[in-house]
């Protein structure tokens, strides 16, 4: 969770820095370009994630040679994905016309082409870094892997800030991310090698049979990040293409702010995921009901409070936070607040579905809805601006809330049982608070 917290803090810190040094149009163009790595990360089809899970189970059973074959099979796919990404990036840099690259921002097309190539290489390194992290996670060194991931985030973004404050532009910023990620990946490989697990990425032992066995879990693992990437990053690109780069910063700033509450809810729900899976496997319906009620209640309280804050003071917060460089229309912030409310509830609850391997019940809908939202933003962005992206994102979160709650109430709790459990949890919380106050 450390890397998530640091990542969110870095996003918050970068907004006023980028807006102040680059201006809204250049910042908007940058926001569209840095969405590219998130989209390109889907090109490995989830093999790194699937390989990590498979290796963890194999090592736990003492099957280290089989785990090595899994690592090398996934490495072959990642290498092919990396070559495809770079081939696509080089082709785009050579063939895409200047008018399609500028996004009406006035940025130098040659700088944008350089940034495009650097960010494509950056995406390749992120995919490769997933294999490096798999070494730590599969060998029960999760904390060390998380620490290295956090260090890499700080390194690459620190270099980015240095480049920006020295007065350099988009091309240099993309190079800074690439250099920082490259250094972090090399350091991760060195540390992984010193562990002497025998599980470093490689190609020699990979085979077609294992790659075939990984396809199913890999595609299932990919569906959720694919939907979220389309919803968060695809919307940025669509808005910039439809309304121009200058429209992007207001949406990005409001969206980033709205996800603060979601990150808090996710952090509180995350420790319950393994316990929920174990309770479900044991057939402990009472335990399942209590944990579902707890996650739903806490997520709802946090999401409702944060959405209210955004609806009332969101524009002022963004204006103050960006040092007056970014202004978000109040109507756009209302739509963002609705998205924060719905998303802040369905995301933590869907983690419980992941704990019992039922992501197929919502992931396809997320992908389809997110793709539809991108199309809506492309179609309406020219006329509605940031409101098009905010409304379509809110609509996706609202429908996903309905889908996830429908599944949860059908499988885990009838409304009367849920109500009684929530009231019981509230009573327990009041009792604990009273005891705490008396001790104080």
């Amino acid at each position: 969770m450390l890397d998530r917290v640091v990542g969110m803090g870095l996003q918050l810190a970068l907004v006023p820095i980028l807006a102040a040094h680059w201006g809204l149009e250049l910042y908007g163009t940058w926001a569209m370009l840095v969405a590219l790595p998130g989209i390109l990360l889907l090109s490995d089809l989830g093999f790194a994630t699937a390989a990590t899970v498979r290796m963890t189970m194999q090592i736990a059973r003492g099957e280290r040679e089989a785990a090595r074959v899994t690592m090398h099979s996934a490495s072959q796919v990642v290498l092919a994905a990396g070559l495809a990404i770079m081939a696509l990036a080089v082709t785009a840099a050579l063939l895409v016309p200047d008018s399609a690259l500028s996004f009406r921002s006035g940025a130098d097309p040659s700088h944008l082409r350089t940034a495009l190539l650097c960010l494509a290489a950056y995406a390749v390194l992120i995919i490769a870094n997933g294999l490096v992290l798999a070494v730590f996670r599969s060998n029960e060194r999760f904390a060390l892997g998380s620490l290295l991931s956090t260090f890499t985030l700080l390194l690459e973004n620190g270099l980015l800030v240095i480049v920006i404050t020295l007065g350099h532009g988009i091309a240099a910023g993309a190079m800074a991310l690439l250099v920082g990620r490259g250094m972090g990946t090399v350091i991760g490989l060195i540390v992984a090698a010193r562990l002497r697990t025998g599980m470093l990425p490689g190609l020699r032992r990979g085979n077609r049979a294992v790659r075939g066995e990984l396809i199913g879990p890999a595609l299932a693992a990919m569906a959720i990040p694919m939907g979220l990437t389309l919803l968060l990053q695809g919307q940025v690109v669509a808005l910039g293409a439809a309304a121009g780069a200058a429209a992007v910063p207001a949406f990005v700033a409001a969206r980033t702010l709205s996800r603060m509450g979601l990150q808090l809810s996710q952090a509180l729900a995350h420790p319950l995921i393994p316990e929920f899976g174990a309770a479900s496997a044991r057939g402990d319906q009472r335990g399942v009901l209590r944990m579902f009620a707890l996650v739903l209640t806490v997520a709802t309280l946090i999401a409702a409070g944060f959405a209210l804050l955004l609806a009332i003071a969101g524009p002022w917060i963004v204006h103050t936070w960006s040092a007056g460089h970014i202004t978000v229309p109040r109507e756009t912030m209302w739509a963002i607040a609705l998205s924060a409310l719905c998303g802040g509830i369905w995301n933590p609850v869907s983690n419980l579905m992941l704990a019992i391997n039922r992501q197929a019940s919502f992931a396809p809908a997320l992908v389809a809805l997110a793709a539809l939202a991108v199309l809506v933003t492309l179609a309406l962005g020219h006329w509605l601006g940031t409101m098009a992206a905010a409304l379509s994102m809110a609509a996706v979160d609202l429908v996903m809330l309905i889908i996830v709650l429908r599944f949860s109430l059908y499988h885990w709790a009838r409304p009367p049982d849920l109500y009684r459990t929530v009231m019981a949890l509230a009573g327990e919380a009041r009792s604990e608070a009273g005891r705490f106050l008396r001790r104080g």
Side-chain angles (χ1 to χ4, degrees), residues 60-368:
R61 294 193 296 263
E63 302 170 359
R64 301 195 72 84
E65 182 58 33
R68 191 175 294 113
V69 172
T70 298
M71 169 62 88
H72 285 206
S73 299
S75 298
Q76 292 172 347
V77 176
V78 167
L79 175 61
L83 292 174
I85 287 173
M86 291 313 301
L88 180 63
V90 170
T91 301
L94 291 175
L95 300 181
V96 174
D98 292 349
S99 58
L101 278 174
S102 66
F103 306 113
R104 288 179 273 173
S105 67
D108 187 332
S110 65
H111 292 176
L112 296 179
R113 294 179 198 279
T114 301
L116 179 66
L117 291 172
C118 289
L119 290 173
Y122 172 69
V124 172
L125 285 179
I126 293 177
I127 296 174
N129 200 54
L131 291 177
V132 177
L133 292 177
V135 177
F136 298 100
R137 291 169 180 169
S138 62
N139 286 276
E140 299 183 353
R141 298 295 185 92
F142 186 88
L144 180 56
S146 179
L147 182 63
L148 288 169
S149 180
T150 303
F151 169 77
T152 302
L153 282 173
L154 290 170
L155 178 61
E156 65 189 28
N157 284 281
L159 291 175
L160 175 61
V161 170
I162 292 172
V163 164
I164 294 170
T165 53
L166 289 176
H168 297 289
I170 280 181
M175 289 180 190
L177 290 182
L178 176 60
V179 170
R181 177 60 58 167
M183 293 172 63
T185 302
V186 170
I187 292 171
L189 277 170
I190 293 172
V191 175
R194 291 178 66 86
L195 293 178
R196 301 186 184 280
T197 62
M199 295 298 158
L200 291 178
L203 302 173
R204 188 162 59 89
R205 291 183 172 85
N207 63 62
R208 178 183 294 180
V210 173
R211 291 196 302 270
E213 292 169 5
L214 286 171
I215 288 177
L219 292 177
M222 184 187 69
I224 297 172
M226 175 185 286
L228 292 175
T229 298
L230 283 172
L231 187 62
L232 299 176
Q233 308 296 347
Q235 287 281 64
V236 173
V237 177
L239 178 61
V248 171
F251 174 71
V252 170
R255 185 203 65 189
T256 301
L257 184 64
S258 72
R259 295 190 61 82
M260 295 275 298
L262 170 60
Q263 292 297 328
L264 178 58
S265 297
Q266 294 277 51
L268 294 174
H270 191 74
L272 288 176
I273 292 176
E275 293 185 33
F276 186 87
S280 179
R282 293 193 304 267
D284 180 5
Q285 293 301 318
R286 184 173 180 274
V288 166
L289 175 57
R290 280 180 61 85
M291 281 183 273
F292 165 56
L294 180 60
V295 170
L296 179 62
T297 302
V298 172
T300 300
L301 290 174
I302 293 174
F306 209 79
L308 184 62
L309 176 65
L310 290 176
I312 296 174
W316 175 82
I317 293 173
V318 171
H319 188 77
T320 304
W321 164 38
S322 66
H325 294 285
I326 299 175
T327 300
V328 180
R330 183 162 296 279
E331 295 78 10
T332 297
M333 189 58 79
W334 289 343
I336 292 289
L338 175 60
S339 173
L341 173 63
C342 299
I345 299 172
W346 80 258
N347 276 283
V349 174
S350 70
N351 285 337
L352 303 181
M353 298 169 69
L354 282 170
I356 58 173
N357 204 28
R358 293 299 299 271
Q359 60 266 32
S361 298
F362 72 92
L366 175 60
V367 174

